[in-house]
Amino acid sequence: MLSFTVNAQTVKGKITDKDGEALPYMNVVEKGTTNGTTSDENGEFSITVTKMPTTLVVSSLGFKTTEQEVTSTAYLTIVVEEGGVALDEVVLVGSRNKNRTVANTPVPVDIIDISELVSAGPQTSINDILNFVAPSFTSTAQTVSDGTDHIDPAALRGLGPDQVLVLVNGKRRHTTSLVNINSTVGRGSVGTDMNAIPAFAIQRIEVLKDGAAAQYGSDAIAGVINVVLKKKEGFEIQMNLGANSGKETSSLNNEFPLHTDTDGESFQLDANYGVALGDKGGFLNLTGSVSTRNPSFRAGKDGFTGSIFNGANSVEWVGANSGLGSDITQYSFTDIQFLAQGVTHFDLALKNNIQNATSMADLQGLLNFDTTDAELGVRGLTRRDFSMRVGQSKLRSGKFFGNMELPLSDDFTLYSFGGISYRKGNAAGFYRRPDQSRAFTGLYPAGFLPEINSDIKDKSLAFGIKGKQGDWDVDFSNTWGENSFDFTIGNSMNATLLNSSPLTAYAGGFSFAQNTSNLDFTRFFEDELNGLNVAFGAEYRMENYQIFQGQEESWATYDTNGDIWNGDTSLQVVDFFGRARAGGIQVFPGFRPENERNAYRNSYAVYGDVEADFTEDWTVTGAVRYENYSDFGTTLNWKLASLYKLTDNINLRAAASTGFRAPSLHQLHFNATSTNFVNGIPNEVGTFSNDSRIAKILGIPELKQEESFSASLGFTAKVPDLNLTLTVDGYFTAIEDRVVLTGNFARPDTAGELQTLFDAANATRARFFANAIDTETRGIDIVVSHKANVSDYTLTSDFAFSFNKTNRVDDIHASEQLVSQIDTYFGEREKYFLEFATPRVKANLSNMLRGDNFSVFLRNSFFGSVTNPDLTDTTGDGTRDTHPEFGAKIITDLSFGYDFNQNLTITIGSSNIFDVYPDAAPADLTSGNNFVYPRVTSQFGINGRSVFARLNYKL
């Protein structure tokens, strides 16, 4: 056989990991020569070899060196295995230099392998996964908080949900349309709904923990979360079945097919399919997800402890059984006297007094007392029948996401990604008891538990073209997204309509849309200094926020004639005791016609970004960004960062930057009246926009941008012989003119324009968005990773620790008219929400043991103490004087996975396996034994232990 050599042939190919995920920036060298190249961001490479056949050597820190024999110019796919340490993984966020890895970025970046956690960990949604794996990230499901029951506020480094920017594949993602206006963490903020993206569509998440507004624009004060979508080929399907099963579990709905004593039962089915497009590395990856989740029930098992029935209700029960209906206001004077004689638990003296009464006022006085215990027995009810549905909401969802790249030539690639999701949520509010004027016993003799049904739609689409134009990398893209929220209130009523009230009403909704166009240029000058990367670009963004009115019955207050009430007290609808009945649909009064908005704004930005390696050991980066908004003006921000290599394995890094956050359109234009319960007491609270007449009268200034200064200092270290890495970063962030939602200002007692404006909104309280405070945040993040190979087993261990502390500094920026009410403008309760309602300390230790056909996942998560913003009475003298603290807890997750073959894996496990709960709330903060665990703080949730079984099949 003859052998021969062919000279100067071009070989092209793609480098992937074992899962088919493209590996960018891998070194490709022709063996025995200095001829080499690196794979691009899609994992592709092109190299002109000096001979044929030949051998290509593929290497990179963090991966095992692989040799590939090459005998022709056919397109190659080279698979390399992991090895070494995670600090050498290339990151896409925090730097526009495509050669940057975790270890040599001047700012801290966490890389979280979502695809592995979705397979092995108990959590299935992005927010839940990040809350347990990334200590700097905080997100907890809320309860009895209107729309916030269905979209969990998420925050980074102790700052607000709207002070972290979310990207998908490096492109800005739109925020949710929901404003968190209730008593929850993140009150007054607008976050990004990451749970609209199926976790099964995600390969990894990069968390940039440093101010980055000069690089990415508004919102990136705390940092940036970049969601990187899957690109791999093949088919994978996963089914997950789970439920809560602990000491507090109570299956009240019995909807779970196994009929076990569980609650919060969940089912999720995910599918992912990827296929190659062409022979140049193109791909199409699609993900679908459907899920259902039942509610959990964490109200006190002994039921509601307060008053439920009064004497008038007792008379109504007799009247209902006598065919007269259950509304005492429809009885005549003599009817009430007669029916009262049939109430078996009224004593003889009371019956005689009722019989001898001479006026309706006498009867009102005689019947205005608590009959709860006796009446429960008569009606065959228990106190638990009047408990609220405290716990996670009911949810049903469907999601679809796609990711695509199609090379058009050797130089340019067309790409697109996006998705659609629909979630239908069901949550409950405060129980409307029959002894309250909010409940009309003519329709609900025992009161009612109103329900908030949410329809949440999320759509997004991005497309662009990227490639080489000469020596420059060019990326031109457009990204569009929209989120909408509609409310339908069920099992409720408008109490002023009495028997004519609908039991279900559409209360309106809102939507937010955003379109962002980007043009980016990047070039790496290999021969300048020791390497110089230059980037610049421009961005144009358009936003639209809308509020839609509800049907009239959802918001109107009617008079005794059935017309909309004009304020005439003689026509006001009242209950038997003369108490005014509340208008609007109970639990969530709808949006009024005057609440409707259709607001637009646009902004444009230009930026420049330079990274210079002055020596092999010293890197300096700088960025500047100019941005102009149509509704408030311009900002100019900068960033400077540096990394210095002390040794091959130890780097020092530091950064300083300015930043900004534009007030969201939601904060500028949201206005509505809602029912807020504070310590169990209902208040009709109007949220008024800053351009409203009432805001002008009170001197509330127009909103302006928040401005920030951030600094960080840290180091990275690795011990290759031990496969050990360590990062430590301290940080400081100061924010001026931070936008908050004020406290609730009372309706004035004196007649005038201000009182009229309150009444027109059906509000007894008013609040506003305002640039009210300055804050400072200090903290430290520590991450330690270790990987050990023992015989045929691999043990990966990761420890992460985060401490942060936020404080209000300087004076409150109150308007002159409200200086006397400074404690309401930003009061003690708001201060505690800001500073103490989330853990200042979080940590976790994760361990993954893998064998040939099995895996064991063990994680311990530490959640530091939190403090309730509400006061409790600790002395028993009736004075609320202390903010209760809820202690630190450790949550343990454990799962076991078994590979029956290369295709089929079954995993079983538990989250919170030891069934740990937060400390119990003081009795006077439970709203009558409903919120037995803290409601307004955010620690780790109140569901207790959950168990799951998961089946994964790959082709």
Side-chain angles (χ1 to χ4, degrees), residues 625-915:
R625 185 182 183 99
Y626 170 86
E627 197 144 356
N628 178 279
Y629 280 78
S630 61
D631 54 356
F632 73 81
T634 65
T635 68
L636 180 66
N637 294 279
W638 57 266
K639 182 169 185 175
L640 187 65
S642 182
L643 179 136
Y644 187 78
K645 297 182 180 180
L646 291 178
T647 69
D648 289 341
N649 296 318
I650 299 177
N651 299 331
L652 292 179
R653 59 190 180 192
S657 65
T658 62
F660 78 103
R661 188 190 71 82
S664 68
L665 279 179
H666 321 50
Q667 293 170 327
L668 289 165
H669 296 281
F670 180 82
N671 66 112
T673 300
S674 58
T675 305
N676 278 194
F677 283 79
V678 179
N679 296 327
I681 301 172
N683 294 278
E684 300 302 326
V685 180
T687 303
F688 295 91
S689 60
N690 289 60
D691 60 356
S692 65
R693 176 59 182 163
I694 192 170
K696 301 299 182 187
I697 293 174
L698 294 176
I700 303 295
E702 294 184 1
L703 291 179
K704 58 184 179 180
Q705 73 270 24
E706 301 174 347
E707 296 183 340
S708 68
F709 172 78
S710 299
S712 63
L713 177 65
F715 71 90
T716 69
K718 57 185 178 180
V719 185
D721 292 341
L722 299 177
N723 278 341
L724 180 72
T725 68
L726 167 68
T727 67
V728 178
D729 292 279
Y731 58 90
F732 169 82
T733 302
I735 303 176
E736 292 184 354
D737 299 319
R738 188 162 173 175
V739 177
V740 299
L741 190 59
T742 68
N744 300 329
F745 297 97
R747 172 183 177 272
D749 295 328
T750 56
E753 182 183 6
L754 199 56
Q755 187 186 81
T756 301
L757 291 169
F758 270 82
D759 294 342
N762 194 29
T764 59
R765 298 284 189 275
R767 61 189 177 192
F768 311 86
F769 290 97
N771 296 97
I773 59 171
D774 303 332
T775 64
E776 292 182 354
T777 300
R778 295 171 173 82
I780 187 171
D781 292 329
I782 301 174
V783 179
V784 183
S785 298
H786 178 257
K787 189 172 185 178
N789 296 307
V790 181
S791 186
D792 295 329
Y793 306 110
T794 300
L795 175 64
T796 303
S797 301
D798 296 287
F799 171 78
F801 171 89
S802 177
F803 168 80
N804 65 73
K805 181 180 179 181
T806 297
N807 293 107
R808 179 185 67 80
V809 297
D810 301 328
D811 294 332
I812 297 171
H813 312 318
S815 67
E816 292 182 7
Q817 292 88 330
L818 295 174
V819 168
S820 62
Q821 301 184 57
I822 197 75
D823 289 339
T824 301
Y825 208 93
F826 187 80
E828 184 175 339
R829 192 167 189 262
E830 286 70 35
K831 172 184 171 70
Y832 270 76
F833 267 119
L834 176 73
E835 298 183 3
F836 302 107
T838 58
R840 288 182 168 180
V841 178
K842 285 181 63 180
N844 66 65
L845 176 61
S846 301
N847 300 278
M848 173 70 79
L849 178 66
R850 291 190 178 276
D852 289 338
N853 59 357
F854 76 92
S855 65
V856 180
F857 177 76
L858 173 66
R859 177 173 60 211
N860 286 290
S861 300
F862 175 86
F863 295 86
S865 63
V866 294
T867 303
N868 199 312
D870 294 319
L871 290 165
T872 183
D873 176 11
T874 58
T875 60
D877 63 358
T879 302
R880 295 176 182 265
D881 54 6
T882 302
H883 292 279
E885 182 177 346
F886 306 110
K889 304 290 181 180
I890 295 177
I891 305 300
T892 302
D893 300 338
L894 179 64
S895 66
F896 301 89
Y898 183 76
D899 302 327
F900 285 89
N901 51 49
Q902 291 183 341
N903 306 109
L904 180 63
T905 300
I906 291 181
T907 305
I908 59 172
S910 172
S911 177
N912 194 356
I913 193 170
F914 297 115
D915 199 26

